[in-house]
Every structure is written in C-alpha cells, then in structure tokens.
Amino acid sequence: LECFKENLSRDVLLPWIIETFGTFYSRSETSRKVVAAITVFLELVVFSYMTFVYDYYSDISLLYQYRKFYDNDDANSTLWQCPGVDFSSECEEVIVPPEEIKNNFYVSFWITLGTIIVSTIIYCYIVLKHSTPKCISVAWYKIREGHERTGRLRAMAKKSLANVVYVLGYVACKILWPCVHIVRKFRYYSAEKRSDLK
C-alpha cells in the first residue's frame, strides 16, 4: 500500500485502490465510528469551526475597541495610562498627536469592518453553493408521490406541502450548515465503502 501511495500519488484510481486494499483488513463498525468521530471532532470542530468562531469573535471585539477609541475622548486618554510611566502633555503631543491617533483608529475600524463583511459574504456564498442533503429531495418526492392519481384539490395540497417542506428543509440545512457538514463527514469516515458516499 505504501508503494501504491508513493507511485500513484496523483492517480484518480488511488482512493479506489486504497479502499479495495482496506477490505482485506476491515475494521469493526465500532472502531470505524470511534475513529470517524475523533477525526471529525479534530478536523472540523477543533481546527475549523472553533478557530472560525474565535476569529469572528476577536474581529468583532477589535472592531468595538477601534470604535471606542476613535469615538470617545475619555477612552482615548487611557492609551497614555501606562503603569510606572509619567507622560507629560508635551511628550504626548511630540510622540503622536491625539487627532492622528483617532484617525488611525478610524481607518482601522473601517478596514476591519470591510474584512468582516467580505469574509461573511464568501462564507455565505460557499454555504449556499454547497449541495443540499439528499433527504430533502427524497422527502419532496415522497410527499408528491401519487398526486396525479388523486383529485385536483388534493394534488395541489400535496404539491404545496412538498414545496413548503423542501424550502423549510433547505433553509434549515443552510442555517445549520456546520451540523450538516459534521454529519456528512462522520458518515463518510465511518462508511465501509466511502466511494458510495461521494
């Protein structure tokens, strides 16, 4: 297997070869699920979503601090309150004029706000473009099933209900995207034949 990995690193059949090779040394369902749970927890929860949420929190906190300093003279004066250091007013003006300090914070505020907006738009675009779980489409077809053989009013009710379920399911999956992502990854990593879930 190591030889295959070294010589077929970019071959499209490499995942299939590894999976086929793995069937000779198949693990129990419990061990697959435990390994999958640990992998998903580390890969998505710890190194992806936790860092993402912390980054958002720190950016918003920084945004608040920038606004406080450029918008409030009392808060701005705290910049000169350093323990053990006595700044005179003359020294303060020589180092950095107060108006320049406020202007720097003003610019930093808008740059940080722009960065947050752009990253949020990109994240929302990725979530919206990603495929919807199959269960939503299955539910849509199941509800509509046999509507041609029923009366007109009942057929319209079935189609309307199917559309409402689809839209609500779609919106819920997009709002709860991290949960959907985690479930998908877990199913993929714990599957005996991963190629069936691609």
Side-chain angles (χ1 to χ4, degrees):
L1 186 60
E2 288 297 329
C3 181
F4 281 143
K5 285 182 178 179
E6 289 174 7
N7 294 294
L8 300 173
S9 59
R10 297 187 181 182
D11 194 280
V12 292
L13 291 176
L14 182 60
W16 176 83
I17 292 170
I18 293 173
E19 187 174 291
T20 305
F21 185 86
T23 58
F24 295 113
Y25 305 97
S26 58
R27 292 178 296 180
S28 67
E29 185 179 352
T30 305
S31 65
R32 282 201 316 271
K33 287 185 175 180
V34 169
V35 171
I38 293 170
T39 305
V40 169
F41 177 76
L42 291 174
E43 183 181 320
L44 293 184
V45 178
V46 176
F47 296 117
S48 183
Y49 289 117
M50 281 180 69
T51 53
F52 178 78
V53 170
Y54 177 76
D55 186 52
Y56 248 75
Y57 168 77
S58 60
D59 283 347
I60 292 170
S61 176
L62 195 60
L63 195 71
Y64 171 76
Q65 293 294 326
Y66 285 153
R67 181 171 182 177
K68 189 171 90 171
F69 279 120
Y70 89 73
D71 205 28
N72 188 343
D73 289 330
D74 294 334
N76 209 358
S77 65
T78 60
L79 291 171
W80 299 105
Q81 294 176 3
C82 301
V85 180
D86 182 24
F87 287 105
S88 65
S89 59
E90 182 182 352
C91 184
E92 290 177 16
E93 292 175 2
V94 169
I95 296 173
V96 181
E99 286 305 314
E100 188 175 336
I101 292 175
K102 291 180 73 171
N103 184 62
N104 290 341
F105 280 122
Y106 180 79
V107 172
S108 300
F109 170 84
W110 286 107
I111 290 174
T112 307
L113 180 62
T115 304
I116 292 172
I117 291 171
V118 169
S119 61
T120 303
I121 291 171
I122 292 171
Y123 177 76
C124 291
Y125 174 78
I126 291 169
V127 169
L128 289 172
K129 289 294 287 181
H130 208 280
S131 61
T132 307
K134 289 181 182 178
C135 61
I136 305 297
S137 300
V138 170
W140 185 79
Y141 281 112
K142 283 284 185 187
I143 295 170
R144 286 171 57 96
E145 197 172 30
H147 73 276
E148 304 90 348
R149 298 186 296 275
T150 60
R152 186 177 175 186
L153 188 61
R154 190 165 181 177
M156 285 179 62
K158 273 192 162 189
K159 286 195 284 187
S160 299
L161 179 61
N163 291 334
V164 168
V165 168
Y166 184 85
V167 170
L168 290 177
Y170 179 86
V171 171
C173 286
K174 297 307 176 183
I175 292 173
L176 301 172
W177 165 242
C179 298
V180 175
H181 194 190
I182 288 169
V183 170
R184 277 182 167 173
K185 276 286 187 181
F186 176 77
R187 286 185 62 214
Y188 177 73
Y189 284 140
S190 63
E192 192 171 1
K193 292 187 68 176
R194 293 182 181 178
S195 55
D196 293 341
L197 296 174
K198 288 184 179 178

